[in-house]
Amino acid sequence: MQTSSKTGNEHEKAQQQRDVEEQETRRDDVSLGPGEILQLEHTDAVLDAKMHLVNNAIDQIGFTSYHWQLFVLNGFGYAVDSLILLIQSIVAAQAALEFHPGYPNGLTIAAYVGMLVGALFWGMTADIVGRKIAFNVSLVVCSVFAIGAGASPRWEVLGLFICLSSFGAGGNLVLDTAVFLEFLPSKRQNMLTLMAAWWGIGQLIAGFLAWGFLPNFSCQDPAFFPDAAPCTKANNQGWRYVWYTSGSLVFVMSILRITVIQLKETPKFLVGEGRDAECVETLQFIADKYKRQCSLTLEKMQACGTTDTRALQGKSKWGLGSVWAHCKGLYSTRRMGISTTLIWLSWTLIGLAYPLFNVFLPAYLSSRGAAFGQPSQYMTWRNYTLANFSGIWGPVLAGWMCGTRLGRKYTMAMGALVTMVFFFAYTQVRTADQNVAFTCVINFCLNIYYGTLYAYTPEVLPSAHRGTGNGIAIGWNRIMGIVSAVIATVADTGTAVPIYICAALYVLMAGIAVVFPFEPYGRRSS
């Protein structure tokens, strides 16, 4: 009897799903775009139908100057994440000369702990209370504590401020892609990959600040200059200027995000919450403001049925059950579960490979510079800036590649494999010019993979659980960043060993990219 009842319920559910799909097809008189990435997963027929209508409305409105504003000011969130992460590695050596810490890599651990907690907190908050609040607050938090870091009187206080600043930056990064994607027309979805170029811009800003302040306002390292004077706050202001300047820049951009964009809650979040009227109002507002057509109406949304928000939130929106419901939603079907697991694994691997090269690149460049007879800070930070400038253009190429039949998966695979080749070649560098050239090429190539992974992750996650899935993915990335700091403590980052490890990890990441179950090319995100 139980088996018969269960079979009957499944048949009834399947029939209801077919009815909703047929109803949606009859009423959808402006089907402008391709199908959704997750449309064959059939997790919620009513929500799928509404998402299809919302995607059609977004495609009908098209690309506007509002999207350019989002591209710039959301993109700056990418820049802030890389800026904060790299600045702590840039200033660590000079701050250590002044404070004489017992654990030199403590700042790296502080930064990654802050970004780990921030990614989880703000990512889950975005799925519970919405994207808007977290989007506006996280960058302000980052800027305030970044400025405070410059006034730190002790190593421990500096680590605390870096941790708190990273808490804001790490959460901000989770939201930038989600917010931009949920307003973006399907024909422009490859711009999500292009936006990762801002990551390189953040690196470039960090390099310019280091190049401008450290050679001119820093005490000398006794390891290279035996006659150097004792390092004090008075003769070692350069690293503080770096923090003051970067924190002020972040603060200005956080104010511009609030005043220029005046972000409305994303329509896809509103649909998941069952707030259909607000979703329609938001899209109609954008259409009216930019003189575009939008045929979406509340009647069309209501005709699809009522969204089961309890399934998305658990018994209480504010309890642990809500967090569990969002995590469980990422494994609603077998393919979605495989996709989620592989994405998290990819973020874990890149979380180890990236800091082993980029975060500890100053130490490696410095050791190589000394070997080539270039021990000066000026040359070290000049080379560092050139390498970071090269990193901007990797996502630009990746954005174009993602718009071709290569798609996201094979763009990532090719980027990872090419990066691996140059990693191995880098170990054979013998001259100063080769040193600079290969670091530039590697930064260019690895950002092809990294930029595409940043875009791919929110694209294939369901909207209702996008913040949680993205936050956990980046959380795994930050955990491995902490591990990299521990590795750097017991290993010599001035040798080629980290380079070999990075090369091997990129081979594994290329293989994972090929077997991802979803390809967003030619499809629309949910």
Side-chain angles (χ1 to χ4, degrees):
M1 290 292 292
Q2 290 180 348
T3 302
S4 176
S5 175
K6 183 178 179 180
T7 303
N9 290 337
E10 291 177 349
H11 177 75
E12 181 180 349
K13 185 177 180 180
Q15 183 59 48
Q16 180 186 12
Q17 181 173 312
R18 286 193 295 270
D19 291 343
V20 170
E21 289 173 348
E22 291 173 2
Q23 184 181 51
E24 184 255 324
T25 299
R26 288 195 304 270
R27 295 177 182 275
D28 181 15
D29 53 359
V30 283
S31 184
L32 301 177
E36 282 68 37
I37 297 169
L38 302 179
Q39 68 177 358
L40 299 179
E41 300 307 301
H42 302 306
T43 54
D44 185 329
V46 173
L47 184 60
D48 288 347
K50 290 183 177 182
M51 282 294 178
H52 187 71
L53 291 175
V54 170
N55 274 332
N56 283 343
I58 292 173
D59 282 348
Q60 188 180 22
I61 293 171
F63 198 81
T64 67
S65 59
Y66 180 71
H67 295 93
W68 278 119
Q69 293 173 17
L70 286 174
F71 178 80
V72 173
L73 295 178
N74 284 37
F76 190 76
Y78 268 76
V80 168
D81 186 275
S82 62
L83 178 69
I84 297 300
L85 179 60
L86 293 188
I87 280 180
Q88 65 79 23
S89 69
I90 286 170
V91 306
Q94 285 303 134
L97 290 176
E98 181 179 332
F99 295 130
H100 307 289
Y103 197 81
N105 289 321
L107 298 187
T108 299
I109 293 178
Y112 274 107
V113 167
M115 289 184 171
L116 167 62
V117 178
L120 296 175
F121 175 82
W122 296 109
M124 293 177 181
T125 299
D127 281 342
I128 296 173
V129 302
R131 284 48 162 152
K132 181 179 178 180
I133 295 175
F135 180 79
N136 287 335
V137 172
S138 59
L139 209 59
V140 177
V141 171
C142 175
S143 64
V144 169
F145 289 109
I147 294 172
S152 301
R154 297 190 307 276
W155 183 261
E156 294 79 10
V157 176
L158 176 59
L160 175 62
F161 279 119
I162 287 176
C163 182
L164 294 173
S165 178
S166 300
F167 170 76
N172 174 77
L173 185 64
V174 175
L175 297 165
D176 292 323
T177 51
V179 169
F180 189 51
L181 176 64
E182 293 183 4
F183 281 103
L184 198 60
S186 60
K187 290 183 178 180
R188 296 294 190 100
Q189 259 179 223
N190 64 320
M191 285 190 69
L192 201 62
T193 301
L194 178 61
M195 195 168 75
W198 284 92
W199 178 272
I201 293 175
Q203 292 176 317
L204 181 63
I205 293 172
F208 273 130
L209 292 178
W211 192 11
F213 288 121
L214 295 184
N216 302 313
F217 302 98
S218 298
C219 60
Q220 293 180 325
D221 188 347
F224 296 112
F225 303 94
D227 298 330
C231 192
T232 65
K233 182 179 180 181
N235 66 359
N236 196 37
Q237 288 286 327
W239 70 267
R240 298 179 186 273
Y241 293 156
V242 170
W243 276 116
Y244 291 144
T245 306
S246 60
S248 300
L249 179 61
V250 175
F251 182 74
V252 170
M253 295 304 295
S254 68
I255 298 303
L256 290 177
R257 292 220 314 195
I258 297 172
T259 57
V260 174
I261 293 182
Q262 298 181 345
L263 183 74
K264 290 183 174 291
E265 190 55 79
T266 67
K268 293 184 178 181
F269 172 80
L270 295 172
V271 171
E273 292 284 294
R275 294 152 63 180
D276 295 349
E278 293 177 63
C279 171
V280 174
E281 180 183 348
T282 296
L283 291 172
Q284 291 288 356
F285 172 82
I286 295 174
D288 292 342
K289 183 176 181 179
Y290 297 99
K291 297 178 174 57
R292 305 293 178 89
Q293 289 187 341
C294 179
S295 58
L296 182 66
T297 64
L298 181 58
E299 290 73 22
K300 289 183 179 180
M301 297 286 283
Q302 291 176 335
C304 295
T306 303
T307 305
D308 183 11
T309 56
R310 179 66 61 87
L312 301 177
Q313 299 172 355
K315 293 182 179 180
S316 171
K317 183 175 181 178
W318 305 100
L320 291 176
S322 177
V323 175
W324 172 246
H326 285 298
C327 292
K328 188 178 178 181
L330 297 168
Y331 286 83
S332 297
T333 68
R334 182 174 178 273
R335 284 213 309 165
M336 288 174 63
I338 293 173
S339 176
T340 299
T341 301
L342 292 178
I343 287 172
W344 289 351
L345 178 58
S346 297
W347 278 97
T348 302
L349 295 174
I350 191 69
L352 181 59
Y354 182 83
L356 279 178
F357 180 71
N358 276 71
V359 176
F360 299 110
L361 182 60
Y364 195 60
L365 283 173
S366 181
S367 67
R368 283 296 177 100
F372 299 139
Q374 295 178 334
S376 73
Q377 284 203 32
Y378 179 87
M379 293 302 295
T380 295
W381 298 118
R382 187 210 67 170
N383 296 346
Y384 190 64
T385 303
L386 290 173
N388 290 334
F389 176 75
S390 303
I392 296 174
W393 309 105
V396 175
L397 176 60
W400 174 80
M401 292 171 68
C402 287
T404 69
R405 292 191 178 276
L406 283 173
R408 278 60 160 173
K409 292 167 54 175
Y410 290 102
T411 296
M412 281 188 279
M414 291 177 64
L417 291 176
V418 173
T419 303
M420 176 270 297
V421 171
F422 282 103
F423 266 131
F424 280 124
Y426 188 37
T427 62
Q428 304 304 311
V429 165
R430 295 293 181 267
T431 69
D433 291 340
Q434 290 175 354
N435 184 39
V436 176
F438 274 88
T439 52
C440 290
V441 172
I442 288 173
N443 254 308
F444 174 85
C445 294
L446 69 82
N447 277 338
I448 294 176
Y449 174 87
Y450 213 168
T452 309
L453 180 63
Y454 262 114
Y456 179 86
T457 300
E459 278 189 295
V460 299
L461 293 174
S463 177
H465 317 296
R466 182 169 286 136
T468 300
N470 210 7
I472 293 174
I474 296 176
W476 281 113
N477 180 274
R478 304 318 186 191
I479 289 173
M480 297 310 292
I482 297 171
V483 172
S484 73
V486 176
I487 293 174
T489 302
V490 299
D492 184 1
T493 54
T495 70
V497 173
I499 307 300
Y500 283 119
I501 295 174
C502 290
L505 291 173
Y506 272 93
V507 175
L508 184 55
M509 285 184 276
I512 294 173
V514 172
V515 298
F516 277 139
F518 298 115
E519 172 51 65
Y521 174 72
R523 315 293 287 179
R524 305 188 298 193
S525 66
S526 67

